């Protein structure tokens, strides 16, 4: 007999990989960056990791998703990441969704919504744009509260620090 309260294996996997992305978000925060982390997964194994680094890298494209895609592409020896999933703590922006489409990511899983730049439903939804040549499955809200708290705590601390300067 199965336990009706048991979490399905796919949800357990989503939580496990989102926790890995959250750990990377904490690395970004420790470096003074907006705390966003991402991992790319192929066949249940992490093949790419990344966290935000646009400030330290002086690079507007150094989002967590881009770093994770680059790491995964090096790992695979190919810029096409077919069959891969990308987990990210914050709803991806237009730039990152475009990179995911070019990489042929099959599924994108994010934590917190981004009401300012989110391109998976908050501001735009590029995943439903029929004129684009590639589409990925999108699922949001995995550990949304935890992912959102990391960001809101970061910005609250930053506002407090700015007031005292």
């Amino acid at each position: 007999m199965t336990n009706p309260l048991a979490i399905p294996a796919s949800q357990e996997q989503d939580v496990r990989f989102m926790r890995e992305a959250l750990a990377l978000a904490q690395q970004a925060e420790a470096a003074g960056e907006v705390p966003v982390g991402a991992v790319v997964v192929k066949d249940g194994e992490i093949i790419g990791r990344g966290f935000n680094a646009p400030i330290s890298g002086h690079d507007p494209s150094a989002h967590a998703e881009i770093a994770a895609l680059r790491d995964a592409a090096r790992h695979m020896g190919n810029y096409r990441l077919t069959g891969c999933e990308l987990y990210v703590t914050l709803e991806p922006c237009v730039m990152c969704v475009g990179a995911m489409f070019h990489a042929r990511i099959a599924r994108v899983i994010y934590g917190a919504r981004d009401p300012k730049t989110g391109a998976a439903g908050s501001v735009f939804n590029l995943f439903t744009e029929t004129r684009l040549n590639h589409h990925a499955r999108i699922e949001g809200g995995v550990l949304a509260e935890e992912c959102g708290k990391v960001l809101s705590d970061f910005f609250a601390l930053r506002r407090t620090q700015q007031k005292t300067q």
Side-chain angles (χ1 to χ4, degrees), residues 6 12 14 33 42 51 69 72 75 89 91 111 113 126:
E12 281 183 17
D14 287 351
E33 301 280 352
K42 172 95 172 156
F51 56 83
L69 289 169
H75 177 88
T89 57
E91 179 182 358
R113 295 182 65 77
L126 293 178

Side-chain angles (χ1 to χ4, degrees), residues 46-134:
I46 295 175
I47 62 166
R49 290 176 161 75
F51 56 83
N52 267 6
I55 298 166
S56 60
H58 308 290
D59 179 358
S61 71
H63 287 197
E65 301 95 311
I66 302 294
L69 289 169
R70 287 176 177 155
D71 191 34
R74 281 190 294 272
H75 177 88
M76 297 286 290
N78 193 340
Y79 76 104
R80 297 282 197 213
L81 301 173
T82 54
C84 291
E85 300 174 315
L86 189 145
Y87 291 80
V88 60
T89 57
L90 181 65
E91 179 182 358
C93 70
V94 171
M95 174 184 69
C96 292
V97 171
M100 291 171 204
F101 285 177
H102 283 287
R104 301 300 191 256
I105 293 292
R107 181 172 170 249
V108 178
I109 305 91
Y110 70 87
R113 295 182 65 77
D114 184 348
K116 294 184 179 181
T117 65
S122 290
V123 177
F124 301 105
N125 193 342
L126 293 178
F127 292 91
T128 60
E129 177 54 59
T130 58
R131 294 173 290 179
L132 296 172
N133 69 330
H134 177 74

